[in-house]
């Protein structure tokens, strides 16, 4: 297994409150890694350390290193926008930008100036909407506002928008928790299809979703990594008592 | 319950009474709120009618066109032309709002999008204090600082660099001018406009910013492409609010604007806005025939200008939101 993201000795504080303690973990390339654990255990904090989203909150202190493909994204000379282009984020609730469906997909591409002609953009829009499994539903209404889509469609649009800037890593912060079961299935299906091309890291607190998606599992408790390993092994034979309790639904 | 039908019926009847009483309370609450809401609308009507009634002597005597577009203001000779006052009001307001808008938007954006919690915490009370300074203090400041600045620095510069252009030519080098009035007004309405625009930026959900940042956009790209289109109607509303305040501002403007009944042609000309006219003269020289009616007519004109401006702004805003 080759690691795509390497976390070494990561400590995160919100003010004086410690959210992550000495986290060291490796995330395998082109697989789905699921971070799980009870509420407030630091799952989302760990996830958001991968695209440098933590620093958007005032009073956050971060020590340690996160290497993506060997580059420490917390090094002084690293451009944060480049990090976020490489490491995309699918948020908990769908957040279509207040513009058309077409412009939503174009947004990142035009910011990073990734295409030159209108035709290139249009072709790319189709490509990424197809990747996200949304094309057939929206191909006749590309110039309608993105907010006119259903919630489930909006989340797939956000996926297309994220994929359009050609990231290596996709982060998902409970990306199906605001969706109905059918829409959730849609998203899960996409993630499974895309995992051969992207390294995917998902936070979830539904154990069943974790079991459906995960190749690799990280179990966290109170800001620390309790156990991490290949999903099949962790689910069938947890090494730690806490993991076993969590899997059995004790807490 | 099922085995005791008598009690059950009683309960049903009792419930019906309760429901009726709750509904009555609701109806009354609605009526009270309605009356309170209608009251201010009624108040505007009353003020309009009152002003119309008191200025009727002059409105019935002269054609409206002569009053609105006449430039002669010689009350003792019975000549009442409000044109220079109307133009003076518009000039000072436009200059004031025009000067205020760009810095206000930039400051609000900085505070809402870039500034850390500490700067925000510091800036908010300072802006509140600025908003609370009484207009007369701004007037004194204008008199002691702005007027001399216009007289000795801005005027000569402008004359030298842009003097060929009427708008910037200096004919009356006293410093008491449209520009001085505009500067004082701009400083006065700035805290209000900043506060409103800042609040409008805060109404945009954080998720939207994050969606843009997550894709690798910078703050500025996010502001430009996502936030500004969202908040534009709000910014317009904030400007309208500031302008409405500027139209009516009296004392601070009156102290620095020169108060000469003439149509200004340059930023450096003196002007005489309607509120200043009323404040300076009402209660004096009332022995002149029709003078009282003329001043109340000035008040009426001012009110109508502000009403028209607000109606216009509302229409523009509606268009924009669509």
């Amino acid at each position: 297994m080759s690691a795509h993201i390497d976390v070494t000795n990561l400590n995160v504080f919100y003010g004086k409150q410690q959210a992550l303690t000495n986290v060291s973990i490796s995330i395998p390339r082109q697989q789905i890694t699921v971070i799980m654990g009870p509420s407030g255990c630091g799952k989302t904090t760990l996830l958001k350390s991968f695209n440098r989203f933590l620093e958007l909150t005032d009073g956050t202190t971060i020590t340690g290193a996160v290497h993506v493909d060997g580059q420490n994204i917390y090094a002084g000379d690293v451009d944060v926008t480049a990090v976020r282009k490489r490491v995309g984020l699918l948020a908990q609730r769908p957040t279509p930008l207040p513009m058309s469906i077409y412009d939503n997909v174009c947004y990142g591409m035009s910011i990073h100036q990734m295409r030159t002609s209108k035709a290139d953009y249009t072709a790319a829009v189709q490509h990424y909407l197809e990747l996200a499994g949304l094309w057939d539903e929206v191909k006749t209404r590309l110039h309608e506002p993105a907010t006119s889509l259903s919630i489930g469609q909006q989340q797939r649009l956000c996926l297309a928008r994220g994929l359009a800037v050609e990231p290596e890593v996709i982060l998902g912060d409970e990306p199906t928790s605001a969706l109905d079961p059918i829409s959730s299935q849609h998203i899960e299906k996409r993630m499974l299809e895309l995992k051969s091309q992207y390294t995917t890291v998902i936070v979830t607190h539904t154990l069943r979703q974790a079991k459906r998606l995960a190749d690799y599992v990280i179990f966290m408790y109170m800001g620390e990594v309790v156990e991490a390993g290949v999903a099949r092994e962790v689910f069938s034979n947890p090494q730690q008592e806490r993991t076993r309790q969590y899997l059995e639904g004790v807490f | 319950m099922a085995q005791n039908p008598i009690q059950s019926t009683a309960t049903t009847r009792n419930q019906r009474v309760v429901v009726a009483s709750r509904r009555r309370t609701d109806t009354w609450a609605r009526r009270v709120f309605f009356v309170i809401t209608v009251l201010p609308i009624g108040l505007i009507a009353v003020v309009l009618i009152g002003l119309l009634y008191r200025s009727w002597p002059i409105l019935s005597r002269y054609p409206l066109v002569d009053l609105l577009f006449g430039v002669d203001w010689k009350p003792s000779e019975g000549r009442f032309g409000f044109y220079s006052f109307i133009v003076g009001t518009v000039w000072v307001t436009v200059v004031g709002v025009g000067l205020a808008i760009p810095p206000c938007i930039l400051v609000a954006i900085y505070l809402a999008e870039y500034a850390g919690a500490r700067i925000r915490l510091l800036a908010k009370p300072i802006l509140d204090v600025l908003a609370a300074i009484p207009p007369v203090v701004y007037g004194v400041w204008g008199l002691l600082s702005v007027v001399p600045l216009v007289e000795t620095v801005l005027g000569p510069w402008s004359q030298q660099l842009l003097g060929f252009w009427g708008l910037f030519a200096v004919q009356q080098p006293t410093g008491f001018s449209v520009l001085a009035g505009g500067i004082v007004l701009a400083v006065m309405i700035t805290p209000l406009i900043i506060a409103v625009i800042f609040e409008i930026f805060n109404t945009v959900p954080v998720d939207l910013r994050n969606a843009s940042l997550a894709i690798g956009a910078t703050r500025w790209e996010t502001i430009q492409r996502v936030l500004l289109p969202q908040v534009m109607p709000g910014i317009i509303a904030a400007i309208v609010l500031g302008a409405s305040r500027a139209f009516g501002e009296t004392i601070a403007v009156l102290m620095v604007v020169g108060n000469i009944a003439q149509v200004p042609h340059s930023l450096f000309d003196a002007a005489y806005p309607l509120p200043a006219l009323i404040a300076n003269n009402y209660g004096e020289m009332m022995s002149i025939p029709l003078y009282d009616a003329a001043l109340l007519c000035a008040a009426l004109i001012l009110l109508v200008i502000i009403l028209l401006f607000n109606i216009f702004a509302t229409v523009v805003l509606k268009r924009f939101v669509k």
Side-chain angles (χ1 to χ4, degrees):
Chain A
M1 170 191 104
S2 79
H4 196 167
I5 304 177
D6 254 313
V7 181
T8 25
N9 249 328
L10 188 69
N11 286 278
V12 175
F13 295 83
Y14 296 126
K16 289 200 172 108
Q17 173 96 26
Q18 186 154 16
L20 290 183
T21 312
N22 290 327
V23 172
S24 293
I25 196 87
S26 295
I27 308 253
R29 188 180 298 274
Q30 287 164 0
Q31 292 189 6
I32 297 183
T33 299
V34 171
I35 308 176
M36 52 182 201
S39 298
C41 69
K43 317 186 277 291
T44 300
T45 302
L46 179 60
L47 187 83
K48 290 190 171 172
S49 73
F50 299 159
N51 71 340
R52 288 188 51 180
F53 243 44
L54 295 176
E55 61 207 54
L56 295 179
T57 314
D58 269 327
T60 313
T61 322
I62 304 158
T63 63
V66 176
H67 288 86
V68 178
D69 251 347
Q71 184 195 32
N72 181 8
I73 59 170
Y74 285 95
D77 58 343
V78 170
D79 176 28
V80 68
T81 61
V83 171
R84 291 180 189 151
K85 181 177 174 301
R86 288 169 64 195
V87 184
L89 173 72
L90 194 56
Q92 196 164 6
R93 251 167 304 148
T95 47
L97 297 171
M99 45 185 87
S100 71
I101 296 168
Y102 182 97
D103 287 340
N104 260 276
V105 184
C106 278
Y107 184 75
M109 292 190 283
S110 94
I111 275 180
H112 296 292
Q113 299 169 16
M114 294 165 65
R115 299 284 187 281
T116 46
S117 75
K118 183 112 195 340
D120 286 350
Y121 275 109
T122 305
V125 167
Q126 175 170 357
H127 173 69
Y128 290 109
L129 284 172
E130 280 169 352
L131 262 189
L134 191 60
W135 174 251
D136 286 332
E137 290 158 64
V138 301
K139 61 185 171 193
T140 55
R141 44 190 285 209
L142 288 174
H143 295 284
E144 285 177 30
T147 42
S148 68
L149 297 172
S150 75
I151 300 288
Q153 290 172 326
Q154 289 181 9
Q155 191 66 317
R156 276 179 281 151
L157 177 67
C158 292
L159 182 61
R161 185 180 65 199
L163 294 177
V165 296
E166 294 165 17
E168 311 158 20
V169 181
I170 306 172
L171 308 176
D173 180 14
E174 298 182 32
T176 62
S177 64
L179 308 184
D180 61 273
I182 305 278
S183 303
S184 303
Q185 269 181 25
H186 264 298
I187 293 282
E188 285 187 15
K189 198 169 143 229
R190 292 302 145 197
M191 299 222 149
L192 289 169
E193 283 172 11
L194 292 170
K195 76 172 179 184
S196 57
Q197 299 167 54
Y198 302 91
T199 299
T200 311
V201 187
I202 296 171
V203 161
T204 182
H205 52 212
T206 49
L207 201 51
R208 267 179 293 169
Q209 185 175 48
K211 286 180 176 167
R212 282 195 298 268
L213 293 179
D215 301 308
Y216 193 82
V217 182
I218 299 170
F219 175 67
M220 296 185 67
Y221 186 71
M222 307 227 348
E224 293 181 58
V225 171
V226 176
E227 187 166 352
V230 175
R232 217 174 330 105
E233 288 164 18
V234 174
F235 284 132
S236 60
N237 186 20
Q239 300 299 305
Q240 300 290 324
E241 181 60 15
R242 282 210 191 283
T243 320
R244 195 185 57 74
Q245 287 179 336
Y246 181 77
L247 292 175
E248 284 171 1
V250 175
F251 62 95
Chain B
M1 275 175 277
Q3 65 264 48
N4 193 343
I6 300 169
Q7 193 195 336
S8 170
T9 325
T11 314
T12 316
R13 196 172 298 151
N14 197 15
Q15 267 171 1
R16 224 173 278 149
V17 174
V18 170
V19 167
S21 134
R22 286 173 57 206
R23 197 176 296 160
R24 228 176 5 256
T25 313
D26 192 38
T27 312
W28 270 103
R30 180 184 151 160
R31 281 178 194 157
V32 169
F33 292 134
F34 174 74
V35 169
I36 294 173
T37 311
V38 166
L39 225 54
I41 302 170
L43 204 61
I44 293 178
V46 169
V47 171
L48 266 176
I49 293 168
L51 286 176
L52 207 57
Y53 172 73
R54 292 289 299 272
S55 50
W56 190 247
I58 195 164
L59 285 172
S60 58
R61 184 133 170 214
Y62 300 96
L64 196 57
V65 178
D66 287 4
L67 290 174
L68 290 181
F69 298 105
V71 278
D72 255 1
W73 179 259
K74 293 193 178 97
S76 50
E77 297 167 25
R79 299 230 289 270
F80 300 98
F82 289 104
Y83 187 67
S84 20
F85 303 100
I86 295 171
V87 174
T89 304
V90 173
W91 266 70
V92 173
T93 303
V94 168
V95 172
V97 175
L99 286 174
I101 289 171
C104 282
I105 293 179
L106 297 182
V107 171
I109 287 178
Y110 176 73
L111 287 179
E113 301 302 320
Y114 286 100
R118 210 177 302 164
I119 292 179
R120 233 183 265 186
L121 226 59
L122 201 71
K124 208 85 186 44
I126 292 175
L127 287 173
D128 288 344
V129 167
L130 276 179
I133 294 176
V136 68
V137 175
Y138 278 110
V140 172
W141 165 72
L143 203 58
L144 296 178
S145 313
V146 179
V147 171
L149 180 78
V150 173
E151 184 191 358
T152 58
V153 182
L154 299 180
W157 270 2
S158 175
Q159 177 63 23
Q160 211 170 15
L161 295 171
L162 297 159
F164 56 90
W165 191 2
L167 185 63
F168 295 99
V170 183
Q171 306 281 337
Q172 298 161 343
T174 60
F176 289 92
S177 57
V178 169
L179 183 62
I183 292 174
V184 171
L185 258 189
V187 174
M188 286 181 70
I189 60 175
T190 291
L192 176 73
I193 301 185
I194 291 176
V196 175
I197 298 182
F198 174 78
E199 290 306 329
I200 290 163
F201 268 93
N202 276 347
T203 62
V204 180
V206 182
D207 285 352
L208 216 54
R209 293 180 180 82
N210 287 350
S212 171
L213 295 174
I215 258 159
T218 61
R219 290 253 176 214
W220 175 237
E221 285 157 351
T222 305
I223 292 165
Q224 245 183 319
R225 294 179 180 224
V226 179
L227 299 181
L228 276 180
Q230 275 296 84
V231 301
M232 212 28 121
I235 291 182
I236 294 175
I239 292 167
V240 171
L241 201 67
S244 302
R245 166 105 204 269
F247 267 124
E249 180 47 47
T250 310
I251 188 76
V253 174
L254 165 160
M255 290 168 80
V256 300
V257 81
N259 302 329
I260 298 170
Q262 61 175 12
V263 177
H265 294 286
S266 149
L267 287 175
F268 296 91
D269 285 354
Y272 206 165
L274 287 162
L277 171 72
I278 302 164
N280 271 341
N281 298 298
Y282 199 81
E284 289 174 25
M285 303 192 295
M286 292 314 233
S287 56
I288 299 172
L290 289 178
Y291 201 56
D292 167 81
L295 292 180
L296 288 165
C297 186
L300 182 65
I301 293 171
L302 183 64
L303 184 58
V304 170
I305 290 177
I306 293 176
L307 285 179
L308 286 180
F309 174 72
N310 274 281
I311 291 167
F312 169 74
T314 312
V315 172
V316 169
L317 216 56
K318 275 252 170 67
R319 279 269 169 84
F320 209 101
V321 174
K322 272 182 201 162

